[in-house]
């Protein structure tokens, strides 16, 4: 049963596949509580079965009104011992939980990278702050971190309550509007770790995933250097037509593309959108076809999302997809 359960959880998004210091402590706590609970359950079943068996034997050998004083004393001692043992177990679990939480908290302050994550319905805004706030790196639904280094994740929400949870790397933390919080996560090996909003945040709550890409320090620095740059200038007629269509419709009112007149802040920054692995908070894998489907009719992919359908001709739609596909 245990193996079946572990297999079903998979390796991409599971608290049972810890790949970070915080996640490992939570993993240890999960198994400790599970082992203790299973042991207690077995003891209770054994005692209950023994009591039922002895009770049936006793009924056959004496009158129902007859009281066995020795047996009464043994039962009283047994109940007292079980109660005391329960108290000891609860205290031990509480102490274990306390020290696990204290150990997780002790990682705070050793971070080498800071990321600000803001929850929206239904996407994640990712910001790598800088001293000059206008130079901050902005992206969406995808966090890049260096392997083996502690990362401070500052959390807040602009609309409803969300919950940031990447189970392979750290525990949950709620995002409550007006109440910023933070956590520390560390990835101990390269990989792509999927996270999920763990607090019901509306109609498309199930489609509010987030990806953490853990890579070497060199790869992380190269990624951050690319993100610092403005969007590339369109190199072909098709890309230029796509940029003109993007800027001439409602797209530029909600989205920003650095290096162009598009400065909208309602939706995700699209300066390097083609470099992301997915669209719409991991609802779609990033491909030209998925991008076209998303632009053509976002409500069919994610009903209730704030992105409206933009009236584009087929040629303009293809041009916009070509243009956005060049923004890596």
């Amino acid at each position: 049963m245990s193996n079946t359960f572990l297999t079903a959880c998979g390796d991409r998004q599971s608290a049972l596949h810890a790949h970070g210091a915080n996640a490992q402590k939570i993993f240890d706590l999960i198994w400790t509580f599970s082992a203790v609970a299973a042991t207690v359950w077995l003891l209770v079943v054994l005692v209950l079965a023994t009591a039922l068996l002895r009770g049936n034997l006793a009924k056959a050998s004496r009158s129902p009104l007859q009281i066995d004083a020795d047996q009464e004393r043994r039962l009283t001692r047994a109940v007292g011992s079980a109660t005391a043992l329960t108290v000891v177990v609860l205290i031990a679990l509480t102490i274990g939980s306390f020290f696990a939480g204290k150990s997780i908290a002790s990682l705070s302050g050793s971070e080498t990278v800071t990321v600000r994550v803001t929850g929206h319905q239904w996407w994640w805004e990712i910001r790598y702050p800088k001293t000059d706030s206008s130079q901050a790196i902005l992206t969406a639904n995808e966090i890049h971190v260096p392997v083996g280094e502690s990362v401070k994740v500052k959390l807040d929400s602009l609309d409803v309550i969300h919950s940031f949870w990447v189970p392979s790397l750290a525990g949950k933390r709620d995002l409550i509007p007006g109440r910023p919080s933070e956590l520390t996560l560390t990835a101990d090996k390269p990989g792509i770790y999927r996270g999920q909003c763990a607090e019901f945040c509306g109609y498309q709550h199930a489609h509010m995933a987030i990806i953490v890409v853990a890579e070497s320090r060199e790869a992380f620095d190269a990624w951050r250097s690319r993100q610092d740059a403005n969007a590339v200038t369109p190199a072909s007629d098709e890309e230029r037509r796509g940029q003109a269509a993007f800027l001439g419709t409602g797209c530029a009112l909600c989205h920003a593309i650095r290096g162009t007149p598009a400065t909208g802040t309602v939706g995700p920054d699209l300066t390097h959108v083609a470099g992301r692995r997915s669209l719409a908070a991991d609802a779609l894998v990033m491909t030209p076809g998925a991008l076209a489907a998303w632009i053509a009719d976002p409500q069919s992919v994610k009903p209730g999302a704030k992105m409206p359908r933009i009236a584009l001709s087929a040629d303009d739609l293809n041009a916009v997809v070509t243009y956005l596909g060049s923004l890596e």
Side-chain angles (χ1 to χ4, degrees):
M1 179 179 174
S2 175
N3 288 336
T4 302
F5 178 63
L6 290 173
T7 303
C9 288
D11 192 37
R12 197 164 175 242
Q13 180 180 317
S14 171
L16 301 180
H17 292 79
H19 296 296
N22 282 351
Q24 185 62 49
K25 291 177 174 59
I26 295 171
F27 173 81
D28 294 340
L29 206 58
I30 289 173
W31 280 117
T32 300
F33 273 66
S34 298
V36 170
T39 301
V40 170
W41 181 80
L42 283 173
L43 288 175
V44 170
V45 170
L46 286 174
V47 170
L48 180 61
T50 302
L52 290 173
L53 180 61
R54 290 171 64 90
N56 289 334
L57 293 175
K59 286 180 182 177
S61 61
R62 68 169 188 267
S63 166
L65 299 179
Q66 183 180 353
I67 297 176
D68 185 332
D70 291 337
Q71 185 183 35
E72 287 294 311
R73 283 192 292 274
R74 288 196 298 273
L75 290 175
T76 299
R77 285 196 295 269
V79 172
S81 299
T83 303
L85 180 61
T86 301
V87 172
V88 170
V89 168
L90 290 176
I91 291 175
L93 292 177
T94 301
I95 292 174
S97 179
F98 170 76
F99 280 104
K102 188 176 180 181
S103 178
I104 291 173
S106 69
L107 293 176
S108 178
S110 60
E111 300 88 354
T112 60
V113 176
T114 297
V115 183
R116 181 178 293 280
V117 177
T118 302
H120 299 262
Q121 283 188 313
W122 290 275
W123 62 285
W124 302 94
E125 179 182 307
I126 314 298
R127 180 185 297 267
Y128 291 78
K130 293 185 178 180
T131 304
D132 182 351
S133 59
S134 65
Q135 300 299 313
I137 293 174
L138 276 172
T139 182
N141 307 315
E142 188 172 305
I143 302 174
H144 285 245
V145 300
V147 169
E149 299 183 30
S150 297
V151 177
K152 176 179 288 186
V153 183
K154 294 186 174 182
L155 302 161
D156 57 18
S157 171
L158 290 186
D159 38 47
V160 300
I161 298 175
H162 302 281
S163 186
F164 179 85
W165 188 34
V166 185
S168 292
L169 300 181
K172 299 176 188 174
R173 188 59 56 89
D174 286 346
L175 287 71
I176 302 173
R179 298 185 61 182
S181 61
E182 61 184 41
L183 59 76
T184 300
L185 61 80
T186 309
D188 59 14
K189 74 172 189 178
I192 298 173
Y193 303 100
R194 189 177 189 273
Q196 173 70 43
C197 178
E199 182 76 35
F200 180 73
C201 57
Y203 189 29
Q204 290 296 318
H205 162 69
H207 288 155
M208 189 166 174
I210 190 168
I211 293 173
V212 176
V213 180
E215 53 202 353
S216 66
R217 166 51 80 165
E218 292 75 20
F220 172 73
D221 287 341
W223 173 84
R224 192 157 61 174
S225 179
R226 290 194 299 275
Q227 299 296 311
D228 276 332
N230 286 343
V232 296
T233 303
S236 67
D237 290 341
E238 183 74 353
E239 290 174 9
R240 281 189 282 274
R241 175 173 179 165
Q243 186 189 56
F246 182 91
L247 298 175
T249 61
C251 303
L253 298 176
C254 295
H255 297 282
I257 296 179
R258 276 181 285 124
T260 77
T263 56
T265 57
V266 175
D269 185 298
L270 302 180
T271 304
H272 299 286
V273 62
R276 298 170 195 162
R277 288 167 170 73
S278 63
L279 283 166
D282 207 35
L284 298 170
V285 176
M286 178 66 79
T287 64
L291 188 54
W294 175 245
I295 296 171
D297 191 3
Q299 296 301 314
S300 68
V301 177
K302 216 164 177 178
K306 292 181 179 177
M307 180 168 168
R309 182 176 182 178
I310 302 296
L312 292 171
S313 68
D315 289 341
D316 281 348
L317 175 61
N318 289 332
V320 169
V321 170
T322 301
Y323 170 59
L324 294 180
S326 70
L327 303 180
E328 294 186 358

